[in-house]
Amino acid sequence: MGYKDDVKIVRTGAWSGGPGCHGGCGVELHIKDGKLIKVEGDESHPFMQGRLCPRALALTQYAYHPNRLQRPLKRVGARGEGKWAEISWEEALDEVEYNMNKIRKEYGPEAMVFGQGTGRDAGGSLIFLAYAYGSPNWTLFGLSGISCFTPRLAGMHMVCGDIVFEDAAQFSPLRYDDPDFVVPELMIVWARGMRGSQCADHYFTSHWVIDLMKRGTKIICIDPRMSWTATRSEKWLRPRPGTDGALALGFLHVIINEGLYDKEFVEKWCHGFDELKKRVQEYPPERVEEITWVPKEDIVQVARMYAKAKPASIRFGQPLDCNANSIGTMQALNALWAITGNLDVPGGNVIARPPYGVTIYPYSTHEVVQLYGQEFVDNMNKRRIGADKFPLVKNFRSWALSDSVIEQMETGNPYPIKGLYLYTNNFLACTAQDPKRHYEAVRKLDFNVVADIFMTPTAQAIADIVLPGTTFAEKDSVFTTGIPLNAIRKHIQVGECRSHWDVAFELAKRFNPSSVPWNNLNELFTERIGNSGLTYDELSKKVWELAPKDHPSGTCGYRRHEKGLLRPDGKPGFRTPTGKVELYSTSLESYGLDPLPSHMEPVESPVSTPEIYKEYPLILITGRRMPTMFHSEHRQVPWLRQFENEPIVELHPDTAAELGLNDGQWVWIEGTMGRCKRKLKITPVVHPKTAMAPHGWWLPETEGAAPSFYSTFEINVNNLIPMGKNGTAGYGGAPIKTMLCKIYPLSEGDTIPTENTKMNQLDFTDSYDIVNAQEA
């Protein structure tokens, strides 16, 4: 902590609540008279080294926004009517306790579902509350197949026994000056943008790609979109959406058949190479070209470039989660970095574990068991929704499967669902595919709680109690899902807002006192980070801590598989049943699933549904990340909203001309499931056979009460996307990149959602400052 003039400058970690991201950044908060007046990056922090995304930099507008929730609300009209009364925290928690205890007494704790949004500082406190209450049903509510990182995590664990990320010396405080680090000769950036993912993302950030490029790393880009990365790459491949698994298998075909693999590593550290070699014969470049639209010559060239580069790495993104066989896709990527000898080596793809083995928000079964014990997890599996049908849901990470959850809400089988507790989940506008189906199911439940920072379409539509949450500057927490162990400390107070850790801690004591042996959160965090040898207060003074190389937890270092740092028994090898990289996964085999990588066609595609393709000739890609908005957040913040003010759909100029459409024209996007309105943006960066529509859109400046819910049903691209298309593993398969559609103009009489709205008339200038406006 320091001072400049009369401004206090404090260092802390950042995780969600403001930037909305996955965290890991170091920030400096500038505070004057108890108010946050500026946010800057902490140059001493090893993860981001002073760099911050626009969302973190705009925290002053976010935190002090006049429309922010600042007191608990109780519904006083019908659900969706928009009638609320402010109540005290004691009243709110009493209401929650009474109604949830009533459900537990009448139907059992499993009748309550606990849903979060994507991987922010939500999972740790929410699973803590759910398990204290006794419910096994913790889930990423609404997202089909939990298709955000979990399928990639599962695929990596099934093959390598751990999370694997590309190396940018992120384990070392010396970073690129570490003598053990080697700059990768080549990096494949696969289904991963730069503009929208410049923030910290678990164990890597896009800034590091640029750092490595400046140091000589060459880039191969695999992306249907002409991205920033594509324009600066040595080679750009543009596959048909949803065919990444086939492309990876095509690379493996070339590498194996031409003998370009690392024979020593394969012989000593890989299991199932012969079986993999046989499988890839089904994917020669000629066939892969037919599947993927990528010319066979390019497939061969890129396979050779990657195999011959020493070292080389692969950076991969969320679109890989969206095929129903996403596990198989990730098996193929794991096989690529394994058989080329690029696993657990400097500049390759490295094992990434929580710092000191500490976990707050569990990313694997190992971590869930570490927190709650094997017996407890086994008992939860007996009642967890989806665990009886899908083997990976039962055996990996302990989610309830979102597709099965909505089905069970509708049918009541095998037991009824009576309540929903949501934290940072705006399913109506963002998370859920087929949002109208979710709305109809959830509004019939007995009791719903929503904890969030702003009034959202979801809270407005279904909540009985709304609890006001906090930004990272207003809470105590710990970040453990990346390389540094970060302390997050509360430095400001806005209204009566409370962090969800505070709320969960209080409610857990009420529901199950024996589950909360700590006197306060400080004691809980100190116990959770115990392996680091630090108390929470000690970590807070340091702000961040990196585990030393070759620490027994296996957190940091290279070639840990040779040193016995990855397996529980301390023997050399990997944390898999065979102790080797399982190119043929014995775990998947034991679950009755395909032990080898393979390709599966999307649920709708020119190949799988040719008749639908005739009527709907464009492939709809949704979910493009934006640097100024995170999922459905930040639509209220002028500094951020100015950069993408309206919900758009992007078409290639040739496609738009063929359809007779003009730039800036409002259109319908229609598919087999439904339709939505968007404003057309014509741009050459999209593939002529695709349409790209950012997700998460709602208009907080429009009517919030039913039936509008801030215009969400009118503009929500998820209207076109179904639930229940996940594969046999359970995880993966939300077809948010591959549904078929057609686009046509609005008809006479169709309204334009953003016409004459307040946000459309705002003066988007740097002079707009909510803090100063309030003080004035």
Side-chain angles (χ1 to χ4, degrees):
M1 183 174 69
Y3 283 87
K4 185 175 182 180
D5 299 327
D6 56 349
V7 177
K8 181 172 68 172
I9 302 173
V10 294
R11 297 167 56 232
T12 187
W15 193 10
S16 315
C21 63
H22 301 287
C25 300
V27 299
E28 290 182 349
L29 304 178
H30 294 239
I31 299 169
K32 181 178 181 180
D33 299 327
K35 281 191 174 181
L36 180 68
I37 62 170
K38 185 169 69 170
V39 178
E40 290 188 342
D42 179 1
E43 294 183 5
S44 70
H45 195 279
F47 202 70
M48 292 290 284
Q49 299 162 305
R51 294 171 285 199
L52 279 182
C53 71
R55 303 185 301 272
L57 295 171
L59 187 63
T60 52
Q61 282 203 343
Y62 186 100
Y64 297 110
H65 197 288
N67 294 338
R68 184 175 166 188
L69 297 170
Q70 296 195 29
R71 296 195 70 197
L73 299 176
K74 180 179 180 180
R75 178 175 57 81
V76 293
R79 279 186 183 157
E81 196 174 2
K83 294 182 179 180
W84 304 93
E86 289 188 344
I87 58 176
S88 69
W89 271 102
E90 193 65 24
E91 291 175 281
L93 296 179
D94 285 348
E95 286 276 347
V96 173
E97 179 185 12
Y98 171 80
N99 284 282
M100 288 176 60
N101 272 336
K102 182 179 179 183
I103 289 172
R104 182 166 62 175
K105 181 178 180 180
E106 294 182 16
Y107 302 100
E110 61 271 23
M112 197 80 198
V113 170
F114 293 77
Q116 68 173 78
T118 188
R120 58 196 74 197
D121 193 9
S125 61
L126 196 64
I127 192 173
F128 174 79
L129 176 58
Y131 283 4
Y133 178 78
S135 175
N137 294 320
W138 164 61
T139 188
L140 210 168
F141 185 73
L143 181 59
S144 179
I146 318 288
S147 299
C148 184
F149 202 35
T150 292
R152 282 171 285 161
L153 289 172
M156 290 184 279
H157 274 270
M158 294 305 107
V159 178
C160 295
D162 269 293
I163 306 174
V164 180
F165 265 79
E166 58 277 29
D167 182 34
Q170 61 263 51
F171 297 102
S172 172
L174 299 176
R175 293 304 305 272
Y176 309 113
D177 295 327
D178 189 301
D180 291 335
F181 175 66
V182 178
V183 175
E185 181 181 331
L186 182 75
M187 176 185 287
I188 296 179
V189 179
W190 198 321
R192 189 89 209 190
M194 292 283 282
R195 284 181 66 246
S197 58
Q198 61 181 304
C199 60
D201 182 11
H202 305 294
Y203 294 89
F204 204 88
T205 171
S206 292
H207 288 292
W208 301 346
V209 177
I210 299 171
D211 291 345
L212 296 175
M213 290 171 70
K214 289 178 179 178
R215 288 164 172 79
T217 300
K218 303 300 182 183
I219 301 296
I220 291 172
C221 180
I222 301 176
D223 195 333
R225 182 182 182 88
M226 185 195 296
S227 62
W228 184 97
T229 317
T231 62
R232 290 154 176 83
S233 60
E234 298 296 303
K235 194 74 179 176
W236 172 34
L237 305 187
R238 210 172 192 182
R240 174 166 62 91
T243 63
D244 304 276
L247 184 58
L249 285 157
F251 292 155
L252 288 166
H253 181 282
V254 174
I255 292 168
I256 291 174
N257 286 353
E258 294 188 4
L260 300 177
Y261 58 93
D262 186 325
K263 297 175 179 61
E264 182 180 352
F265 186 89
V266 167
E267 177 68 26
K268 188 172 183 179
W269 299 111
C270 292
H271 169 79
F273 178 76
D274 291 340
E275 291 87 344
L276 176 66
K277 181 177 181 179
K278 182 178 179 181
R279 172 61 60 87
V280 303
Q281 303 314 309
E282 301 172 20
Y283 294 90
E286 295 79 10
R287 183 187 176 217
V288 175
E289 176 180 357
E290 293 177 1
I291 296 171
T292 64
W293 297 347
V294 177
K296 62 182 179 182
E297 296 81 8
D298 290 346
I299 296 169
V300 173
Q301 181 185 2
V302 168
R304 290 171 178 168
M305 289 173 67
Y306 174 69
K308 293 177 181 180
K310 300 298 177 187
S313 61
I314 299 177
R315 173 163 165 75
F316 48 91
Q318 189 274 336
L320 303 183
D321 293 331
C322 297
N323 186 285
N325 190 32
S326 58
I327 306 299
T329 299
M330 280 309 299
Q331 287 176 268
L333 264 69
N334 278 257
L336 280 169
W337 57 60
I339 70 167
T340 55
N342 283 306
L343 175 62
D344 199 23
V345 297
N349 282 74
V350 289
I351 305 297
R353 288 184 176 178
Y356 292 100
V358 166
T359 185
I360 293 289
Y361 173 27
Y363 269 31
S364 68
T365 309
H366 301 289
E367 295 175 36
V368 179
V369 171
Q370 177 184 327
L371 289 173
Y372 298 102
Q374 186 66 57
E375 182 179 358
F376 183 88
V377 172
D378 289 343
N379 286 333
M380 286 294 186
N381 273 334
K382 296 174 183 177
R383 297 174 292 147
R384 178 172 291 112
I385 297 174
D388 58 333
K389 298 179 182 178
F390 298 99
L392 276 188
V393 176
K394 180 179 181 180
N395 291 287
F396 185 76
R397 208 182 170 191
S398 297
W399 291 112
L401 185 64
S402 44
D403 307 83
S404 299
V405 169
I406 186 66
E407 181 180 336
Q408 193 160 324
M409 282 182 174
E410 295 168 330
T411 65
N413 293 319
Y415 55 80
I417 302 300
K418 292 296 181 178
L420 178 64
Y421 187 109
L422 282 182
Y423 177 43
T424 67
N425 182 309
N426 186 8
F427 72 80
L428 210 63
C430 182
T431 318
Q433 287 68 65
D434 198 352
K436 292 182 180 178
R437 178 185 176 193
H438 281 81
Y439 169 60
E440 292 299 329
V442 175
R443 74 190 188 107
K444 296 174 183 176
L445 301 180
D446 291 354
F447 184 65
N448 299 319
V449 181
V450 173
D452 218 315
I453 294 176
F454 289 91
M455 180 61 73
T456 64
T458 298
Q460 190 74 265
I462 60 93
D464 299 304
I465 296 290
V466 179
L467 305 177
T470 60
T471 69
F472 70 83
E474 305 160 53
K475 68 179 180 182
D476 290 337
S477 189
V478 181
F479 172 79
T480 65
T481 58
I483 301 307
L485 183 62
N486 267 8
I488 303 167
R489 291 308 297 247
K490 177 178 178 177
H491 292 286
I492 62 171
Q493 176 70 44
V494 177
E496 297 180 18
C497 301
R498 291 189 187 180
S499 83
H500 195 257
W501 266 114
D502 287 317
V503 174
F505 192 83
E506 172 62 27
L507 287 174
K509 284 195 296 184
R510 294 184 181 210
F511 291 133
N512 184 3
S514 65
S515 70
V516 188
W518 312 276
N519 293 312
N520 50 52
L521 280 176
N522 191 303
E523 291 184 5
L524 185 154
F525 293 147
T526 292
E527 180 175 305
R528 290 280 176 94
I529 67 172
N531 288 348
S532 70
L534 297 170
T535 67
Y536 180 56
D537 286 338
E538 290 169 341
L539 177 63
S540 299
K541 291 177 182 177
K542 295 168 70 78
V543 182
W544 58 269
E545 175 76 4
L546 285 173
K549 288 181 183 178
D550 298 332
H551 186 269
S553 63
T555 301
C556 299
Y558 300 114
R559 296 184 176 89
R560 284 165 277 174
H561 65 284
E562 297 177 354
K563 304 169 185 175
L565 294 173
L566 298 179
R567 293 174 51 167
D569 59 12
K571 295 180 180 179
F574 295 86
R575 190 171 56 180
T576 62
T578 61
K580 295 184 176 183
V581 176
E582 296 203 346
L583 307 174
Y584 180 103
S585 173
T586 59
S587 294
L588 291 176
E589 182 180 43
S590 70
Y591 303 151
L593 300 172
D594 190 348
L596 291 166
S598 61
H599 164 68
M600 179 183 293
E601 270 297 312
V603 60
E604 288 185 1
S605 80
V607 176
S608 60
T609 55
E611 293 305 313
I612 294 176
Y613 186 58
K614 290 178 183 178
E615 184 176 356
Y616 301 98
L618 295 170
I619 298 174
L620 177 63
I621 305 174
T622 74
R624 173 174 67 79
R625 301 299 191 255
M626 296 175 282
T628 52
M629 297 178 185
F630 189 74
H631 294 303
S632 65
E633 292 190 66
H634 306 104
R635 300 307 192 277
Q636 311 90 338
V637 182
W639 283 348
L640 303 176
R641 178 76 178 268
Q642 65 177 312
F643 295 103
E644 199 152 326
N645 188 26
E646 296 179 288
I648 62 169
V649 59
E650 297 172 306
L651 283 181
H652 191 275
D654 294 345
T655 309
E658 186 179 320
L659 296 172
L661 300 173
N662 300 312
D663 191 62
Q665 181 178 5
W666 278 85
V667 297
W668 285 106
I669 312 173
E670 182 182 314
T672 55
M673 288 280 299
R675 65 180 187 169
C676 71
K677 296 175 183 176
R678 288 298 174 101
K679 188 175 184 178
L680 179 61
K681 180 179 180 179
I682 297 176
T683 172
V685 305
V686 298
H687 194 290
K689 295 181 181 180
T690 69
M692 295 195 76
H695 70 304
W697 266 98
W698 57 292
L699 302 173
E701 65 272 22
T702 60
E703 175 59 45
S708 171
F709 299 129
Y710 303 109
S711 305
T712 186
F713 289 135
E714 196 174 7
I715 61 176
N716 190 348
V717 72
N718 282 344
N719 292 342
L720 286 73
I721 304 173
M723 295 287 291
K725 302 302 180 182
N726 45 320
T728 54
Y731 291 138
I736 57 179
K737 314 289 182 185
T738 54
M739 294 298 287
L740 300 177
C741 73
K742 61 183 177 183
I743 296 179
Y744 53 90
L746 265 60
S747 301
E748 186 176 350
D750 287 337
T751 59
I752 295 176
T754 60
E755 194 169 29
N756 299 320
T757 63
K758 294 177 183 177
M759 186 63 78
N760 212 33
Q761 299 166 10
L762 272 177
D763 178 19
F764 292 118
T765 67
D766 286 344
S767 63
Y768 185 88
D769 188 333
I770 289 172
V771 177
N772 293 338
Q774 283 189 337
E775 290 176 346

